[in-house]
Structure formats: structure tokens, C-alpha cells
Amino acid sequence: MDGAAIIYEPVQHHWFYCQQADSEDSWIPFSVVDSQRLEEAFCHVKANCVDEGEQEEVIVATEGRRFDVRLKERRRHAAYWEQPPLEVRRCSWFHRGDKEASYVPYPEDISLILEDAYMISATLNDWQRRLQFPTGETVVLHDPKRMTHHPPDLTKSGRTSLSSSDQPRPRIVKRGLEDVIVDIPPGEPDKVDHLVIMVHGIGATCDLRMRGIIQCVNDFRSISLNLLSTHFKEAGQDIGRVEFLPINWHKVLHGDATGVDTDIQRITLPSISRLRKFSNSTVLDLFFYNSPTYCQTIANTVASEINRLHRLFVQRHPQFIGAVSLAGHSLGSLILFDLLTNQKKYTDEATKQSPVNSPIHSESFEDILRNEGLGEYVNTIKEKQMDVESLAMCSETDFKELGIPLGPRKKILYLMGKLQVTEQESRTGIVLPVSAALLCQEEGVSQAEALEIIQPQVPSTSTVDYKYCDVGIGQVSINYPELAFEPQAFFALGSPIGMFLTVRGLKRIDPNYSLPTCKSFYNIFHPFDPVAYRIEPMVLSPGQELPPMLIPHHKGRKRMHLEMKDNLTRVSSDLLASFGALRSVWQTLTQVPSTLLQLDQEEKTVSGPHDDSEDATAGSPVSLTDKNETRNTNVGMLNGGRRYDYVLQEKPFESFNEYLFAIQSHLCYWESPDTALLVLREIYEGAQKNQLNEHNSSL
């Protein structure tokens, strides 16, 4: 012993959870706020529980209430989506090897042993303490700042093939997080201002890193949190956060319930197996959506998941008073667009029916179940206090959790779908084709007259029945479920909506049309995205051209290479204008006699008019920020009279070869700060407008 004993202070604990990345365990720290909540709950349980065996389970909501941590179980469970539970650990001691990038926390029991040994050494000032573990490993406490973890000595265990130089090097041991390099986030605000539900496109992966919708939405949420702190935290503003939640419909479509993967696999050729597997799991989703059978499955899944997430979110955030928006990527935007075009607008909330809009009473449905030989499951449904509206929002997984076998639950789903379709037909009545609907709206003719006028145009060999809304935006004829809320805005990312509407036979969208229950619509795309299409040209009058709105850079400037391109275009236009002015001056100075001038004019009349101004401006690009042209152009009511085609700024290296970055351009939205900033600005501006309208209406 040398020197005086140091003053011992208990170690500060921090909570971590274990997540697998590239088949390796990675320990992720909880935020400062979440770790404090977990520690407080742990200390409260420990203080009030004498016997650990009698400890009751305590659940702590973490990470914006998207996950629940069960303290007794030491597991982290997802609240909104299906995900395997992850191990949670109360950490205080860490170790790391020479070739490892991050520290790994010791198990809690080992940490207690190490902390007791450290306390004794610090109190007695007795260091060089060796702790031997049953595994043969040894931890040596050299001094308060230098501690090592030694692997088992293989030479002592009889394995003499390794020399001392080949023995694994000792690991570095750290007490607490003071000297451990780890990024601990501060935590998310408790207040949620807005909810955005996001729907993915084709396939199970959403980016080039082959990640799913959950991971991509997590990135988008993190970017939005950073932007809120840098762009919206102004003096006097009470800004919370925007919650983003994902919907995975691909898993349901390709699950055991539909059996479609098995059917496709039976007819798939054995050659180029990897390419065919990729095609079956991604590209075929486009064909599935154009099939009435599977389109109904996709629409039901997306609508029921939207309603489920909204209902669960409100339950977990009882103080939430904000609005809800929808966002879809690629095919997901088309699914949402079709769903929103088929919503019903109710002027009186008292007359609004349930999300499935079904007037069938539970008693009549119970009779139907009994008549179909499913009476034994009526009591099971009653015990869960489920009415027809609740049943209509259930998926096959929900019925499976009730203990209903495969055959009966398939039959129940079929009966529910049949009843909803019957009710939809009785409520909507006659359905007009595109041309008839346009005649009714634009020419003011009756439905009967419109049907007579367009009857010869309908092919008699058509085998697919299409359903059209009032402006002729047609989809496969299915029953589109109703949402439990009216979205504030709809954001389409890399969307093929315009292409699908054109393929369905729609040439022009009526400028007076707007989504029945959604006030705002935004079509956001990358200029090199091969899947994205514009929508504004379908509303503009023939011959009108209007470039899309350029999305500002999140750092408040235009990218340098775009500025240089604009400057070069402006200089060339000025030079052409100068040359035109010089030519006119030269012609004035060198006027020919009147007789020759008359002959020259006659020659021009024969050869055709020639406008010098056309030469000066032909082929010159139109500025994306031409406010005068935007002000005088009617882009329709899809976004309340405002613009809705928005284009991102390509990066400098992307502009060298647009073909090389085409696929990446379609998958860039999840990690695009420019996209996230546009979404946030439109959300908060829309919320302010809604508050102003409510205030004016109250006055």
C-alpha cells in the first residue's frame, strides 16, 4: 500500500440494449432521459421488494413510447410492430479488446462482483487485486484507472501448442462511462405535435443497404429530430416533435395467409434462381396490386394498419391533440392515393359511421357465423368484447392469436369481406366510367345521358371491372376501407401515381378535384428517379408547361453546381439578347431603299414569318423559381390551389452520370434532410393554418 486511500463513490449506471448488426452483438445505449427513467423504476422496485422472486413486472416506456422495457424480464419489446424482444442490461463495467471498436458491458452479476472488489481496494488502498472467475478468466485491478481482463492461460490448462507470444492480449476494463467513448443521445421530447404514418413500396427492402421499412423510418425520424432542433427551435415557440410510424404490408401479402409465394414458386423456372427470387419478392408486387384479389388484401392491410397504429398511438399518448398525415414511397404512395380518393366526406360527425362503414349489427353477424357452422367461435369473439367494427379491422394474425384454426379464420375473413362489399355496393349505387363522370362534372349532363353518350366507347371484350371516382381516377373495383381520421397532408415520395393514372385511361384531372378527406398533397421526387412521375401536367391546360418547384437545401442555399449552371444559362441568355439588339441596330443603320424593302417583305411573306426573338430564346431552360408564371397558373385544388410537384436538388457527383445513380435516386428519400425539412415545414405551416381557421370560425 502506498499513498492515502481514495474516497470511494458508487458507480453511475447506464442502461443498454443488445442489437444484432452483421451477425454480431452491438450494445446500444438508451438515451439519457430513458436511462434515468429505467434507473428510477429499478431503484423503486428494489426499495419496495424484499424477495426478488415476488417482484412484479414493471413496464417502462422508452424511445418516444415506441418500445416497452420489462424490468424483471430485462427485455425491450416493440409497441407498434412485430420485432423479436432484445436483451436489456443495467451496465456499469465495460471491457474491450485491442481490435474491437466499442466497449462491451459486463453482465450485471459480474459488474456487482467487480464493483465490490473496487470498493474494497479503494477503501483500503489495496490494489493489484486479482479476481478469478469460474471460466478461467481473470480481472486485475492495478490501480483506480488501470484495470485489465486476462483470458484463460492455455499453457496451464495443458495446451502447450501456443507460445506466450501467441496468447490473446488482455482486454481493457473500464468502470463507468467516464472514459468510454459512446454516443448517448439526450432523448426525445415527450410532446408530440404530429403523427406521420409511412407506407413502403415494392419488396421487403427499402434502400441499397437491404434494410426494411422499420430501419428506414427510424433514419427519417432521427433526421427530422435533428432538423427540429436546428430549424424550428426559435424563441417563444413550443415545438415538440413529429412521430413517424411504419406500415409493412409486404409481410402480410407474402405471408402464409395468402399462400401466394408457394403458388408462384411452383411455376417459377429453376434457372437464374437469385434473379427470379428477387423478381418474385419485389417486381411482382406491381402485378399483385393490379389483381382484384390481392389488391383487396393490400388495401385492407394498409387501411387496417393505419387505423390500428392511430388507435394505439392515441392510447399511448393520451395528451396528443395534433393531426395525422400519411406518406408513401413508390407503390406505397399509389396505394394511399387510391385509398384517399375513395374516402367519404362527412359534413356531420354524428352521421359518420365506423371505419368499415358497415351497418350490420353484431347479432346478425353472429347468426351468419352459426349458419356457416362457426357458432363455436361466437363466445370467443364475445369474450374479447369485439363487435363487427372491431372484427373488420382484424387481420388473420389477430384471429390466430384468438386460437381460431386456419380453416375457420379463413372463412370468417371471407364472410367479413363479403358483407363489406355488399354494403359498399348498396351505399354507392351506380358507378360511372371515367368519360361519363367527366361529362357529368364538366358538361352538366345527367348520369343516364352520360352513359348513353359514352356507351359505344366501352369495349365489349373488357374482363376487368374498374371503379372510378368523380373525376375519373380509376382503380380495380374493390372495397376500399375507410380511415378513422381525416389526414392533414399526404406526401408521395418517388411516386408513379401520374403514370398509373395515365395507364388507367385518365388524360386529365379536373382542376376542381381534391382528395375528399385530405386537404394537402405533395409529390416529391428526385430528378433522376426512374419510377417517379409528375402530376401537375395532368391538371394544366393543354400546351401549358410549368417546371416543378425546387426544394431548398436544408442548409439554406442552392447547391453550388446548380448555381453555376443557372449563372451560365443567364449569361448565355444575356449574350443572345445583346447580339439581337446589335443586329437590330445594324439593320437600322443599313436600311435599303423602299422598293427593295417591299420586295424583301414579299419574299418573307412567301417563305413564312421569322421571329428573331424565337432564335434568342429557343431551347433556353426555364427557371424553377419563376414566381410570375406560378402565380398566373392554375394547378388545381389537390393542394388547395398551391403547387405540389417538388423536385430535389441532385448532388454534384450525381450530375456526372444520371444513369449510374438512377436506382439510388429512387431510394434516397429515407436519408434525405431536404425531404424531411419540406415535410416538417408543410406539417407545421398546415397546423398553423388549421388553428387560424378554427379561430376565425369560432369568431
Side-chain angles (χ1 to χ4, degrees):
M1 293 187 300
D2 53 337
I6 66 172
I7 300 176
Y8 170 77
E9 294 183 358
V11 66
Q12 297 295 321
H13 295 82
H14 196 91
W15 291 73
F16 286 68
Y17 63 91
C18 183
Q19 184 172 339
Q20 275 202 342
D22 299 331
S23 301
E24 294 184 359
D25 290 343
S26 176
W27 287 91
I28 311 298
F30 283 96
S31 67
V32 176
V33 175
D34 289 337
S35 182
Q36 290 176 353
R37 290 173 179 170
L38 291 169
E39 186 66 18
E40 290 174 0
F42 172 82
C43 294
H44 178 76
V45 171
K46 186 177 180 180
N48 294 276
C49 183
V50 179
D51 187 0
E52 293 186 1
E54 299 178 357
Q55 177 182 340
E56 297 182 358
E57 187 62 88
V58 176
I59 299 177
V60 180
T62 61
E63 299 172 72
R65 307 190 70 85
R66 293 183 300 275
F67 295 90
D68 289 332
V69 173
R70 301 180 182 180
L71 286 181
K72 182 178 180 180
E73 185 185 353
R74 288 293 198 274
R75 288 290 184 272
R76 169 182 173 266
H77 295 260
Y80 295 103
W81 53 80
E82 294 183 2
Q83 177 178 310
L86 303 179
E87 180 185 355
V88 173
R89 187 174 291 180
R90 181 173 180 255
C91 306
S92 55
W93 285 75
F94 305 84
H95 60 92
R96 180 179 67 85
D98 287 341
K99 298 181 180 180
E100 296 177 358
S102 58
Y103 283 86
V104 178
Y106 280 102
E108 294 185 33
D109 55 344
I110 301 297
S111 295
L112 289 175
I113 297 174
L114 294 175
E115 183 64 20
D116 290 341
Y118 181 89
M119 180 182 64
I120 296 174
S121 297
T123 304
L124 302 177
N125 197 24
D126 182 14
W127 299 100
Q128 298 298 329
R129 185 177 296 273
R130 303 176 63 88
L131 301 175
Q132 189 79 27
F133 293 98
T135 58
E137 298 172 300
T138 305
V139 174
V140 181
L141 307 180
H142 301 281
D143 56 51
K145 294 295 183 181
R146 189 167 61 92
M147 294 162 281
T148 54
H149 181 132
H150 299 264
D153 191 349
L154 301 180
T155 58
K156 292 183 179 180
S157 61
R159 298 177 58 183
T160 58
S161 58
L162 293 177
S163 62
S164 58
S165 60
D166 295 331
Q167 289 283 340
R169 295 174 61 87
R171 305 173 66 85
I172 302 173
V173 178
K174 295 293 183 180
R175 175 180 180 265
L177 287 174
E178 182 179 354
D179 297 325
V180 175
I181 301 176
V182 61
D183 184 17
I184 302 178
E188 302 177 17
D190 291 332
K191 179 187 175 184
V192 179
D193 300 323
H194 200 91
L195 170 64
V196 179
I197 299 176
M198 310 190 79
V199 181
H200 67 84
I202 62 172
T205 58
C206 298
D207 64 359
L208 293 178
R209 288 185 279 173
M210 310 303 289
R211 298 184 304 168
I213 179 65
I214 297 176
Q215 291 79 11
C216 290
V217 172
N218 288 343
D219 276 356
F220 199 87
R221 185 189 306 111
S222 300
I223 293 173
S224 71
L225 279 174
N226 294 332
L227 291 173
L228 282 173
S229 61
T230 57
H231 290 69
F232 293 84
K233 295 292 185 181
E234 298 179 1
Q237 280 191 320
D238 184 18
I239 298 294
R241 63 182 176 90
V242 177
E243 181 62 273
F244 296 88
L245 297 179
I247 285 181
N248 187 352
W249 56 266
H250 182 273
K251 184 177 181 180
V252 177
L253 176 64
H254 294 267
D256 297 334
T258 61
V260 64
D261 283 0
T262 303
D263 297 336
I264 292 295
Q265 187 60 36
R266 289 189 303 164
I267 61 176
T268 301
L269 299 181
S271 59
I272 52 173
S273 57
R274 292 185 179 180
L275 180 59
R276 296 185 189 276
K277 182 179 179 180
F278 172 79
S279 175
N280 290 346
S281 61
T282 55
V283 180
L284 286 187
D285 287 347
L286 292 172
F287 299 98
F288 287 143
Y289 188 67
N290 285 281
S291 162
T293 301
Y294 296 109
C295 182
Q296 184 69 69
T297 301
I298 295 173
N300 288 345
T301 301
V302 173
S304 62
E305 279 294 287
I306 289 175
N307 289 330
R308 182 187 69 85
L309 288 180
H310 175 256
R311 183 176 64 252
L312 184 57
F313 177 82
V314 173
Q315 292 176 357
R316 297 179 66 87
H317 297 81
Q319 307 298 326
F320 177 72
I321 58 174
V324 185
S325 293
L326 301 176
H329 175 245
S330 189
L331 182 61
S333 64
L334 178 66
I335 298 171
L336 291 176
F337 187 82
D338 290 344
L339 194 63
L340 291 174
T341 56
N342 285 272
Q343 297 299 296
K344 301 298 179 182
K345 180 68 175 179
Y346 296 95
T347 56
D348 185 5
E349 287 296 326
T351 61
K352 185 172 183 179
Q353 298 181 15
S354 64
V356 295
N357 211 18
S358 176
I360 304 170
H361 300 291
S362 59
E363 292 80 11
S364 62
F365 187 67
E366 292 174 6
D367 295 337
I368 294 175
L369 290 178
R370 292 189 178 95
N371 294 335
E372 295 292 335
L374 302 171
E376 59 182 300
Y377 304 108
V378 172
N379 292 332
T380 303
I381 295 174
K382 281 186 174 182
E383 290 176 359
K384 300 298 181 180
Q385 300 180 358
M386 302 178 66
D387 53 12
V388 177
E389 289 79 5
S390 301
L391 287 173
M393 291 186 289
C394 289
S395 62
E396 184 172 2
T397 304
D398 298 324
F399 289 120
K400 185 177 181 180
E401 292 178 354
L402 293 177
I404 300 178
L406 177 62
R409 66 173 179 261
K410 287 280 190 181
K411 208 167 186 180
I412 293 175
L413 289 171
Y414 170 77
L415 292 173
M416 288 300 305
K418 188 175 181 181
L419 289 174
Q420 294 177 34
V421 171
T422 302
E423 169 57 22
Q424 180 79 3
E425 292 175 350
S426 64
R427 184 175 70 251
T428 57
I430 188 170
V431 178
L432 292 179
V434 176
S435 51
L438 289 175
L439 283 172
C440 291
Q441 186 166 0
E442 297 181 0
E443 304 296 335
V445 301
S446 64
Q447 292 183 1
E449 292 173 341
L451 287 173
E452 292 178 1
I453 294 173
I454 59 92
Q455 191 65 36
Q457 302 175 5
V458 181
S460 58
T461 58
S462 177
T463 58
V464 179
D465 182 24
Y466 283 89
K467 174 186 174 183
Y468 300 92
C469 67
D470 293 340
V471 292
I473 302 175
Q475 303 93 25
V476 177
S477 179
I478 65 170
N479 173 39
Y480 286 93
E482 291 195 20
L483 302 180
F485 58 91
E486 294 187 357
Q488 173 182 306
F490 167 39
F491 300 94
L493 311 177
S495 173
I497 292 175
M499 181 270 291
F500 270 85
L501 297 182
T502 303
V503 170
R504 290 169 178 173
L506 180 65
K507 294 184 178 296
R508 187 167 183 263
I509 301 176
D510 193 297
N512 296 321
Y513 177 74
S514 63
L515 298 175
T517 59
C518 187
K519 300 177 182 178
S520 301
F521 169 67
Y522 301 91
N523 182 35
I524 304 170
F525 53 91
H526 190 282
F528 303 154
D529 189 340
V531 181
Y533 289 83
R534 294 193 60 190
I535 299 179
E536 285 180 350
M538 300 186 69
V539 179
L540 298 174
S541 301
Q544 278 188 310
E545 292 185 4
L546 188 64
M549 295 288 291
L550 187 67
I551 299 177
H553 193 271
H554 65 281
K555 293 184 178 179
R557 55 174 175 80
K558 182 183 283 189
R559 293 186 183 273
M560 184 174 297
H561 71 288
L562 295 179
E563 290 181 351
M564 294 177 61
K565 185 187 298 183
D566 291 345
N567 292 334
L568 290 175
T569 302
R570 191 179 302 110
V571 169
S572 62
S573 300
D574 293 341
L575 288 175
L576 289 174
S578 300
F579 287 141
L582 289 175
R583 184 169 58 179
S584 63
V585 171
W586 175 257
Q587 290 176 349
T588 303
L589 295 175
T590 59
Q591 287 184 352
V592 297
S594 59
T595 55
L596 296 178
L597 180 60
Q598 183 177 359
L599 292 174
D600 183 63
Q601 290 177 349
E602 291 177 355
E603 291 178 359
K604 287 184 178 180
T605 304
V606 174
S607 62
H610 183 76
D611 190 358
D612 293 338
S613 63
E614 291 183 2
D615 286 343
T617 60
S620 59
V622 182
S623 174
L624 294 176
T625 57
D626 193 341
K627 297 182 179 179
N628 293 328
E629 185 178 1
T630 302
R631 187 184 300 112
N632 299 327
T633 304
N634 179 17
V635 294
M637 298 304 295
L638 274 174
N639 195 24
R642 297 175 297 161
R643 300 290 304 277
Y644 42 89
D645 276 354
Y646 285 84
V647 61
L648 291 165
Q649 302 181 42
E650 72 272 15
K651 298 177 181 178
F653 62 86
E654 293 176 342
S655 61
F656 288 112
N657 192 327
E658 56 191 42
Y659 293 95
L660 184 62
F661 296 96
I663 302 300
Q664 179 179 336
S665 299
H666 182 60
L667 306 174
C668 71
Y669 307 98
W670 306 109
E671 298 178 293
S672 169
D674 298 348
T675 303
L677 183 58
L678 176 64
V679 170
L680 293 175
R681 282 177 173 169
E682 297 303 327
I683 282 175
Y684 281 100
E685 288 181 4
Q688 291 177 357
K689 291 178 181 178
N690 292 338
Q691 293 176 0
L692 182 60
N693 293 335
E694 293 177 359
H695 177 71
N696 293 336
S697 60
S698 63
L699 295 178

